[in-house]
């Protein structure tokens, strides 16, 4: 929340760059604090969390300004795929450096990479196209046209319909989906490596590799899943409601089944394969609950999305449950039993989330979402060059653009039910 306020008042570029820079510098001093002053470690970690919290809304601000209307979906999807591929890279490099270099070498590497990245970011990135000194005229015209269209409607200050939002069952279905996602994701990041170590007695390097592969698969599915779901909706094969529920059911249903099966596996190869299948398929669920706020209320999508962040409680409770369940184990047999319980609990929560979402979720606009007369404008593309009146090739887009006439699209059309439309509002 504070990060969003800072982004609206100051430069998105500097807020994002400085947040990463501050976190990286704190990372560089972390090994010293670990060695000499334990209370300082807690202070540093809190400060890192506060600094990094500003980076996401600031990044959204930069991408929103730079992404043309026809390019926003792929730009944002690729950018946020880093949130899922980074655990894979981190697990591999951390395991290798801990085994073959030193325990604190990876901290210095991450801190240095973040510091260098922040410097490059602040030197090369501009808040908006109009500030870039080397932007071509055709690119500038494209951005200016899109900018005028986006900001042409007069802003209206209305009271947020809190009563309607807080009494809406589809909203709570989204919150439940976010809760389940965070429960499993936290388990994968913080507890999965410990599972391979305690149950199968694997080395840190082996664990790093095995833990990374599922995240790579999930990244691929996250990127392609939204495209698949959008096509299903656009072609009329499924309604928005059915498409959202199908995404959630397939993603979380397959993952819950695999996690439940892992609880009864005594072979690491079988457990690894199940983990890859389950985590990979879970990427489809992102096209369910995470996109759903725009279906319910395009005007208040940010409010619903903010409420869905309550699902972060799943990560907190997942960590606490794992601590207490494993703390009761005294020998190897008890440890295996503890892990079995943890997987069964996680799978049961996921199955419950699938049922709740399948029953209460919706892809239709809600009565409290505001007027249905809102129109969106489809902007004409820039004027073509002299050689071809219908097409042009720009340095930015690297593709041919067809000239279109402005079109008015009703707010209740399928566009509001698509993943692309949701990403365009970020």
């Amino acid at each position: 929340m504070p990060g969003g306020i800072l982004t609206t008042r100051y430069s998105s570029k500097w807020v994002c760059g400085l947040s990463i820079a501050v976190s990286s510098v704190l990372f560089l001093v972390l090994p010293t604090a670990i060695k000499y002053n334990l209370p300082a470690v807690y202070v540093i970690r809190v400060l890192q969390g506060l600094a990094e919290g500003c980076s996401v809304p600031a990044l959204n601000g930069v991408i929103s300004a730079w992404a043309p209307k026809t390019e926003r979906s792929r730009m944002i999807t690729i950018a946020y795929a880093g949130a899922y591929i980074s655990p894979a890279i981190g697990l591999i490099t951390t395991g290798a450096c801990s085994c073959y270099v030193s325990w604190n070498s990876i901290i210095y590497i991450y801190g240095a990479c973040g510091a260098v990245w922040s410097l490059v970011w602040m030197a090369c990135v501009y808040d908006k196209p109009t500030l870039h000194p080397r932007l071509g005229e055709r690119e500038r015209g494209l951005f200016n046209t899109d900018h005028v269209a986006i900001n042409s409607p007069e802003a209206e200050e209305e009271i947020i319909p809190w009563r309607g939002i807080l009494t809406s069952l589809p909203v709570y279905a989204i919150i439940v989906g976010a809760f389940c996602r965070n429960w499993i994701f936290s388990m994968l990041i913080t507890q999965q490596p410990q599972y391979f170590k305690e149950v199968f007695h694997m080395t840190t390097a082996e664990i790093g590799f095995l833990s990374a592969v599922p995240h790579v698969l999930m990244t691929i599915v996250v990127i392609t899943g939204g495209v698949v779901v959008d096509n299903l909706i656009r072609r009329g094969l499924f309604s928005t409601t059915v498409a959202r529920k199908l995404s959630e059911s397939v993603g979380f249903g397959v993952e819950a089944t695999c996690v439940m099966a892992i609880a009864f596996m005594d072979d690491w190869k079988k457990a690894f394969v199940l983990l890859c299948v389950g985590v990979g398929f879970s990427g489809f669920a992102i096209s369910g609950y995470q996109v759903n706020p725009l279906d319910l209320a395009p005007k208040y999508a940010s409010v619903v999305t903010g409420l869905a962040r309550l699902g972060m409680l799943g990560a907190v409770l997942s960590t606490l449950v794992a601590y207490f369940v494993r703390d009761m184990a005294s020998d190897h047999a008890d440890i295996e039993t503890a892990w079995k319980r943890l997987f069964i609990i996680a799978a049961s929560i996921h199955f419950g989330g699938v049922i709740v979402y399948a029953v209460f979720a919706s892809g239709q606009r809600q009565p409290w979402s505001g007027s249905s007369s809102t129109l969106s404008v489809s902007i004409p593309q820039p004027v073509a060059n002299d050689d071809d009146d219908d097409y042009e090739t720009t340095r930015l887009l690297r593709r041919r653009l067809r000239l279109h006439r402005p079109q008015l699209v009703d707010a209740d059309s399928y566009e509001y039910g698509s993943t692309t439309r949701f990403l365009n509002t970020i």
Side-chain angles (χ1 to χ4, degrees):
M1 186 68 73
I5 296 174
L6 289 175
T7 300
T8 57
R9 295 186 178 182
Y10 304 101
S11 165
S12 299
K13 158 193 167 180
W14 287 103
V15 172
C16 183
L18 290 175
S19 67
I20 300 299
V22 170
S23 178
S24 300
V25 171
L26 291 172
F27 223 30
L28 292 173
V29 302
L30 185 60
T32 303
I34 293 175
K35 187 175 181 179
Y36 296 107
N37 193 332
L38 186 59
V41 174
Y42 297 107
V43 175
I44 290 174
R45 296 299 288 167
V46 170
L47 293 176
Q48 280 185 298
L50 294 174
E52 293 175 5
C54 299
S55 63
V56 175
L59 181 62
N60 284 347
V62 174
I63 295 179
S64 297
W66 273 98
K69 192 172 184 178
T70 56
E71 301 291 330
R72 289 178 182 174
S73 178
R74 70 186 68 179
M75 288 180 66
I76 294 178
T77 301
I78 294 174
Y80 280 89
Y84 299 100
I85 195 65
S86 56
I89 298 175
L91 288 167
I92 294 175
T93 55
T94 300
C97 289
S98 299
C99 286
Y100 305 116
V101 185
S102 66
W103 68 269
N104 58 2
S105 60
I106 194 63
I107 300 179
Y108 290 115
I109 292 174
Y110 290 158
C113 289
V116 171
W117 180 91
S118 61
L119 293 176
V120 173
W121 169 274
M122 290 184 285
C124 300
V125 173
Y126 294 85
D127 279 306
K128 48 188 177 180
T130 55
L131 299 178
H132 200 295
R134 294 178 297 279
L135 194 67
E137 290 301 323
R138 283 185 293 177
E139 289 91 348
R140 194 181 301 276
L142 172 64
F143 284 119
N144 288 340
T145 302
D146 199 29
H147 177 74
V148 171
I150 292 174
N151 294 282
S152 57
E154 296 182 359
E156 298 181 2
E157 294 186 2
E158 297 184 5
I159 298 176
I160 297 176
W162 287 111
R163 181 178 179 180
I165 294 174
L166 296 177
T167 56
S168 175
L169 290 177
V171 171
Y172 287 101
I174 294 174
I175 296 175
V176 170
F179 180 89
C180 295
R181 169 75 275 179
N182 284 285
W183 185 291
I184 286 287
F185 196 70
S186 174
M187 185 177 182
L188 293 175
I189 297 298
T190 62
Q191 300 158 35
Q192 172 194 330
Q194 194 70 19
Y195 163 71
F196 282 111
K197 179 181 179 180
E198 293 182 350
V199 177
F200 300 113
H201 310 288
M202 306 181 75
T203 65
T204 304
E206 293 172 332
I207 292 172
F209 174 78
L210 295 179
S211 301
V213 175
H215 294 283
V216 175
L217 297 176
M218 181 169 61
T219 302
I220 296 173
V221 175
V222 166
I223 295 175
T224 59
V227 177
V228 172
V229 173
D230 277 352
N231 287 334
L232 292 176
I233 297 174
R234 188 174 294 110
R235 295 177 181 179
L237 298 178
F238 294 109
S239 67
T240 302
T241 299
V242 172
R244 297 288 173 247
K245 292 183 177 183
L246 182 63
S247 300
E248 189 91 359
S249 299
V250 171
F252 284 168
V254 173
E255 186 176 35
T257 302
C258 291
V259 170
M260 182 68 76
I262 291 175
F264 302 95
M265 291 295 110
D266 55 2
D267 181 13
W268 72 266
K269 294 180 181 178
K270 295 179 181 179
F272 173 67
V273 171
L274 287 170
L275 197 63
C276 289
V277 174
V279 176
F281 267 87
S282 70
F284 282 110
I286 305 303
S287 298
Y289 78 92
Q290 196 160 324
V291 181
N292 206 190
L294 189 64
D295 302 327
L296 305 183
K299 186 181 298 185
Y300 304 110
S302 60
V303 178
V304 178
T305 303
L307 284 175
R309 300 301 293 171
L310 291 173
M312 288 298 296
L313 290 173
V316 177
L317 294 178
S318 174
T319 304
L320 292 176
V321 169
Y323 171 78
F324 287 113
V325 172
R326 290 177 59 251
D327 188 56
M328 295 186 294
S330 57
D331 53 29
H332 183 70
D334 290 340
I335 290 177
E336 290 186 350
T337 302
W339 281 109
K340 180 181 293 186
R341 290 173 180 170
L342 287 175
F343 284 122
I344 292 175
I345 291 173
S348 300
I349 289 175
H350 248 39
F351 279 128
V354 170
I355 295 173
V356 171
Y357 195 86
V359 173
F360 298 110
S362 173
Q364 303 299 318
R365 282 189 67 153
Q366 301 300 294
W368 44 265
S369 63
S371 173
S372 60
S373 61
T374 305
L375 296 176
S376 62
V377 182
S378 197
I379 305 304
Q381 302 296 342
V383 180
N385 55 34
D386 296 335
D387 298 330
D388 192 339
D389 292 332
D390 292 329
Y391 297 89
E392 76 161 347
T393 302
T394 67
R395 294 195 304 271
L396 176 70
L397 301 180
R398 304 293 185 190
R399 67 183 184 86
R400 299 174 72 82
L401 301 173
R402 182 182 296 274
L403 186 66
H404 295 284
R405 294 181 179 180
Q407 297 177 351
L408 292 180
V409 183
D410 183 67
D412 284 324
S413 70
Y414 68 87
E415 284 194 73
Y416 277 123
S418 67
T419 307
T420 301
R421 188 72 179 177
F422 172 74
L423 293 172
N424 285 350
T425 64
I426 297 180

